[in-house]
Amino acid sequence: MEEELKCPVCGSLYKDPILLPCSHNVCLACARNITVQTPEGETPVQSRASGSSDYDYLDMDKMSLYSETDSGYGSYTPCQLKSPNGVRVFPPATPHRHCSLTCPLCHRSVSLDERGLRGFPRNRLLEAIVARYQQNRAASASSSSSSSSSTAVKCQLCDRNPVDAAVMCEQCDVFYCNSCQQRCHPSRGPLAKHRLVPPPNQAAGGAAAGGGGSGGAGGSSGGQQPPATARKPATCVDHEAENFSMYCSSCRAPVCMKCLEEGKHNKHDVKPLAVMWKQHKCQISQALNGVSDKAKDAKEFLVQLKNMLQQIQENGVEFEACLVAQCDSLIEALTRQKAKLLTKVTKEKEYKLKVVRDQITHCTMKLRQTTGMMEYCLEVLKENDPSGFLQISDALIKRVTSSQDQWVKGALEPKVGPEFDLTLNTDSLLQTILQLDFCQGKVDSGPSVPVAPLLQLEKCCTRNNSATLAWRVIAPLSNPIEGYILELDDGNGGQYREVYVGKETVCTVDGLHFNSAYNARVKAYNAIGVGPYSKTVVLKTSDVAWFTFDPSSAHRDIVLSNENQTVTCNSYDDRVVLGTAAFSKGIHYWEVCIDRYDNHPDPAFGVARINTMKDMMLGKDDKAWAMYVDNNRSWFMHNNSHTNRAEGGITRGSTVGVLLDLTKHTLTFYINKEQHGPTAFENLDGVFVPAVSLNRNVQVTLLTGLEVPKNIKQ
């Protein structure tokens, strides 16, 4: 908790702390050191920079100050003085000049009003906690000194036979004897600001001696500390005779009754001070419960990481010994590879050790910060000063909540394991020695089933409603792989089914559903048996369908061009052409643009089975569902049944849209982006392909990959 009680400027325990608007604290004396003058009428750099909320001390090097000898601006000479914590301090500000103060933690600046530093509230709660902490520390040191008075604190920098320490640096937290202090910690340069104090045993002994020499009322009996003096109730800054009694939620500050009578908080949310005090205490207590659980988990996690260090060391030594034994048993050609293999094992071990050590360091730091904050919060909760408590409660609640968010899922899990997944196969032939390398996993020297194949994710991809997968596997020459089995589920997380069996290590699967996520896995087999599955990879097909006309299934009179996107016909009779995509689920929409339209023919557009008749108008058999249209009207047709005549036709430049909704099992048509007639067909089920029928008087172009229309009428 001591870190919470140290001033960020001087590095010592807070003395007369004041509370800045950003909720951070500094000593009153330190605040005077970091106060700077600004030109009259100007605001700090922070408020002049648009969109910026941070203020960097380096910007002060660029500031110009009004010169007192001329009417222009004089150059500003940056101050080179720094506090023990490295914060730049400035010469005392001239009275009655415009001044500003920048927080050394968040670098937010604030201008001082005519009251100067007196305008900042005094953090009496923090001051009381610091005093109590100093009393407890002094009592502990006194108790330790009395119980082991013969044991003195030794210098921590003496090489041999350390002598008793003479001083301790509060900033460095190191004990020095006189000679080491003169040599390593001189009272000059950047160390001049450090505070040197007597060691705890000397300070306690001096206090005891002083107490024993006074037999009057001023002495303390039994070495006990005097009780803490009761603090007076806090009074209003503007009305010093009035105690705080209410809390303004809008201003986030305690107020007195006179402040309310003067109307400063008329439209603000004002509540009783005691109610808000209890409410904020409850919030901090609830937040601390979660942080406490995380701290407990972190302690257990640190124990686990430290145990893992030993396991990694032991496993690494054991693995190195096995590797050396194997290499020494091979012929001379193997010796040239031994150094490389040892290097790989050492790198793997060092990598694991580094990762675990980094995790230990990182977790220890976060745990120390969390523990210190928890102790500080518990001390705050012991306070009975409502106004002082509410001065810091909002910021403290945010800190506790933010601290809890740091322990996200996965933060308390090891990044590496103690095992070494490296195996050296000594059954390889002599000519393969120069290519010897570690294998993934551990394999036995005798005959066995193949190991799990490794999916090559960089080569796995989807295109439209097809998926391509590639894999590889390392197999010993004594157990050659005979083939592979590729399995996919149904796109809905259902059962797997075999889609390929063979020796190839690349496979493309066609005819999958659009807008679906398929899980794929592969396994290998040999003469011994079938090996384990690979890891599962998820492949998502295209959201919308991209396809062309299919020349392989088209009638021989059909003429295709424009990479099979444009179609016409050589015959005066209607001929059918199908698309290359097939649909059995989902919602799909495509359009056909009329490029040429002569002598008022009746082209038809719709869907069909793959075995529909190709030498007649689409929809005349029971395997097609279509809308045929001329320049004035249209009809729906299926199994040579004409229904739903609708006014409105097509001309050159018109577009005909087809919407196949297999979630509702319906088929709907559009002309020039507007729905044409009611839903054409219902109760559609099965596999359908886009289809068009036309003659030589019509030429159309297919448009695919389109979004589904929103204005659907039933």
Side-chain angles (χ1 to χ4, degrees), residues 462-531:
T462 59
R463 184 180 183 276
N464 221 12
N465 63 334
S466 299
T468 300
L469 295 103
W471 58 89
R472 63 183 177 87
V473 67
I474 301 174
L477 297 179
S478 58
N479 298 317
I481 292 177
E482 296 183 359
Y484 304 94
I485 302 174
L486 176 62
E487 297 181 357
L488 267 69
D489 66 0
D490 59 357
N492 285 324
Q495 294 184 348
Y496 285 86
R497 68 186 191 280
E498 293 183 2
V499 296
Y500 171 76
V501 177
K503 295 184 177 181
E504 300 296 331
T505 57
V506 178
C507 179
T508 298
V509 183
D510 298 319
L512 302 176
H513 297 305
F514 287 93
N515 194 22
S516 299
Y518 286 87
N519 294 297
R521 63 188 184 184
V522 64
K523 57 185 177 181
Y525 62 90
N526 58 13
I528 306 299
V530 180

Side-chain angles (χ1 to χ4, degrees), residues 106 108-109 268 287 417 431 538 610 702:
C106 64
R108 292 179 58 184
S109 296
H268 293 183
Q431 56 265 33
V538 180
I610 193 69
L702 181 64

Side-chain angles (χ1 to χ4, degrees), residues 150-169:
S150 60
T151 303
V153 179
K154 300 297 183 180
C155 176
Q156 294 178 302
L157 295 183
C158 289
D159 294 333
R160 296 178 181 177
N161 301 323
V163 300
D164 294 348
V167 294
M168 182 193 76
C169 177

